[in-house]
C-alpha cells in the first residue's frame, strides 16, 4: 500500500515567518498530483490552519475542491494544536467524531486498520490523550487484535520525547500513560505517523516504529542545546513523506517537493 503523509500545512492569509503557506501547500498538492496519483491514501496530520479561523478552513476547502485528489485520494484531515476543533467541524461537515466529540475515527485499508487520533488539548500547544480517548483507542486496538489486523496510528503530537527542548515542552502531556497503552499493543500496531515538530523524524517508541515529515511551509532545524525558547528556522526545504506499507515492512521516503526542478535524470 502506498500512503502520502503530509503535515503542518498552516493555512493562513498572511505570511508565516516570511513564507506563503497557501502557495507552498498548493505546490505540495501539485507534486502529489503529478507523481503520486497511484497512492492509496493521503493523510494530513494536523495544523491545517495557523490560527484556527473559519476563513482559513474555507480557503482549505477551496484548495481541495480545485485539486484532482478525489475519491480514495481525498485527503483525510486531522486537527493539531493550531486548529479549532469546533470551527473545523463546522466547515467540514463530514467530520467524523467519536462518542465524546473528539475528532477521531478508524478506516479499513489494504494495509490494515488506520486509526486517526485526536491529541489536541484545546487552548494549549501541548497535546493530551485523556482517559476517554485512551478508552476509545484501547477498544479499537482490542478489536483489531481480535481480527488479526495490523493497526497504523496517526496523530498530530509527538508521542515521545525527541530531545529537542522546544518540541518536547509541547509534546503529549501524559506521554507516559499513552506509552504504557502502546506497549500493551506493540504486537498489533505496525507504525505511528505524526507531525507537529516540523522536521523529519524517525525512530521507535515501545518497540513501535514511527515517522514524521516536516511542515509544508516553515520547516524547523532540530536544536539539541536544551533551550526551550529557541527555534531554528529559515530557508529550509519543506517536504511530505511517501510511505509503503507491506506485510512486515514499512518504508518511508522524504520528498522535498520544492527541490523537484533541481533533479537531473540519467537513463543508460
Amino acid at each position: 500500500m502506498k500512503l502520502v503523509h503530509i503535515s503542518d500545512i498552516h493555512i493562513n492569509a498572511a505570511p508565516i515567518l516570511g513564507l506563503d503557506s497557501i502557495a507552498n501547500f498548493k505546490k505540495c498538492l501539485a507534486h502529489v498530483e503529478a507523481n503520486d496519483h497511484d497512492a492509496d491514501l493521503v493523510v494530513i496530520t494536523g495544523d491545517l490552519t495557523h490560527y484556527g479561523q473559519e476563513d482559513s478552513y474555507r480557503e482549505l476547502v477551496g484548495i481541495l475542491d480545485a485539486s484532482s485528489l478525489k475519491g480514495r485520494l481525498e485527503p483525510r484531515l486531522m486537527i493539531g494544536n493550531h486548529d479549532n476543533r469546533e470551527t473545523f467541524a463546522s466547515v467540514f461537515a463530514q467530520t467524523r467524531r467519536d462518542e465524546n466529540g473528539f475528532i477521531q475515527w478508524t478506516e479499513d485499508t489494504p494495509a490494515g486498520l488506520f486509526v486517526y487520533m485526536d491529541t489536541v488539548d484545546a487552548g494549549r500547544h501541548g497535546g493530551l490523550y485523556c482517559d476517554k480517548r485512551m478508552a476509545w483507542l484501547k477498544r479499537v486496538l482490542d478489536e483489531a487484535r481480535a481480527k488479526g489486523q495490523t493497526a497504523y496510528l496517526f496523530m498530530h503530537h509527538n508521542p515521545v520525547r525527541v530531545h529537542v527542548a522546544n518540541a518536547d515542552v509541547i509534546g503529549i502531556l501524559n506521554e507516559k500513560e499513552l506509552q504504557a497503552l502502546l506497549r500493551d499493543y506493540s504486537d498489533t500496531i505496525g507504525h505511528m505517523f505524526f507531525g507537529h515538530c516540523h522536521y523529519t523524524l524517525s525512530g521507535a517508541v515501545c518497540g513501535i516504529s514511527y515517522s514524521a515529515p516536516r511542515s509544508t511551509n516553515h520547516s524547523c532545524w532540530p536544536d539539541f542545546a536544551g533551550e526551550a525558547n529557541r527555534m531554528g528556522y529559515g530557508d529550509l526545504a519543506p517536504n511530505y513523506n511517501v510511505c509503503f506499507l507491506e506485510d512486515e515492512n514499512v518504508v518511508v521516503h522524504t520528498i522535498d517537493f520544492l527541490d523537484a526542478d533541481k533533479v537531473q535524470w540519467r537513463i543508460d
Side-chain angles (χ1 to χ4, degrees):
M1 176 181 177
K2 182 179 180 180
L3 164 73
V4 172
H5 177 201
I6 301 169
S7 199
D8 297 271
I9 62 178
H10 286 264
I11 297 300
N12 193 58
I16 303 168
L17 300 177
L19 300 168
D20 186 335
S21 62
I22 294 173
N24 279 341
F25 179 56
K26 287 180 178 179
K27 291 174 184 176
C28 175
L29 282 189
H31 195 272
V32 172
E33 289 173 318
N35 297 276
D36 301 303
H37 239 285
D38 60 338
D40 296 281
L41 220 62
V42 178
V43 179
I44 306 178
T45 50
D47 279 1
L48 305 173
T49 67
H50 197 56
Y51 293 113
Q53 297 171 337
E54 181 177 342
D55 287 351
S56 295
Y57 290 117
R58 297 207 178 278
E59 179 72 31
L60 178 57
V61 169
I63 295 171
L64 295 178
D65 283 349
S67 167
S68 65
L69 301 179
K70 307 296 183 188
R72 77 180 192 283
L73 290 181
E74 182 177 352
R76 277 56 170 170
L77 302 178
M78 301 174 65
I79 59 170
N81 51 292
H82 279 264
D83 291 305
N84 182 290
R85 187 181 283 117
E86 300 308 322
T87 305
F88 167 75
S90 72
V91 173
F92 289 89
Q94 304 305 314
T95 297
R96 296 179 62 182
R97 308 178 82 152
D98 70 8
E99 64 271 19
N100 295 300
F102 295 110
I103 298 175
Q104 49 183 23
W105 74 100
T106 64
E107 180 178 13
D108 287 313
T109 78
L113 186 70
F114 278 23
V115 182
Y116 305 103
M117 298 163 57
D118 181 341
T119 59
V120 172
D121 188 17
R124 292 183 63 253
H125 284 301
L128 179 70
Y129 209 64
C130 63
D131 290 345
K132 290 180 179 178
R133 282 175 274 192
M134 289 226 269
W136 176 87
L137 179 59
K138 185 178 186 304
R139 185 168 68 250
V140 163
L141 293 175
D142 280 337
E143 292 173 359
R145 177 185 277 164
K147 295 177 181 178
Q149 283 183 302
T150 299
Y152 296 90
L153 307 189
F154 295 80
M155 65 198 80
H156 178 68
H157 291 83
N158 46 302
V160 62
R161 285 174 49 82
V162 298
H163 300 279
V164 177
N166 69 354
D168 289 337
V169 296
I170 56 172
I172 294 179
L173 180 66
N174 59 329
E175 66 172 28
K176 295 301 181 185
E177 289 84 353
L178 176 58
Q179 288 174 12
L181 187 153
L182 296 174
R183 188 175 295 108
D184 288 342
Y185 293 92
S186 60
D187 62 328
T188 301
I189 302 169
H191 192 78
M192 297 189 294
F193 303 87
F194 60 88
H196 190 48
C197 298
H198 286 224
Y199 34 78
T200 301
L201 280 165
S202 61
V205 57
C206 303
I208 304 165
S209 61
Y210 64 74
S211 59
R214 302 178 198 128
S215 167
T216 57
N217 189 59
H218 46 299
S219 298
C220 291
W221 189 263
D223 170 33
F224 309 112
E227 298 182 25
N229 62 343
R230 187 168 76 165
M231 181 184 78
Y233 70 96
D235 186 18
L236 307 172
N239 69 25
Y240 68 90
N241 285 348
V242 171
C243 315
F244 294 90
L245 312 182
E246 302 166 342
D247 288 343
E248 296 182 350
N249 305 302
V250 175
V251 177
V252 179
H253 292 271
T254 292
I255 310 300
D256 297 343
F257 57 91
L258 293 186
D259 286 342
D261 290 342
K262 302 176 184 177
V263 177
Q264 300 181 55
W265 299 98
R266 176 175 172 174
I267 301 175
D268 292 328

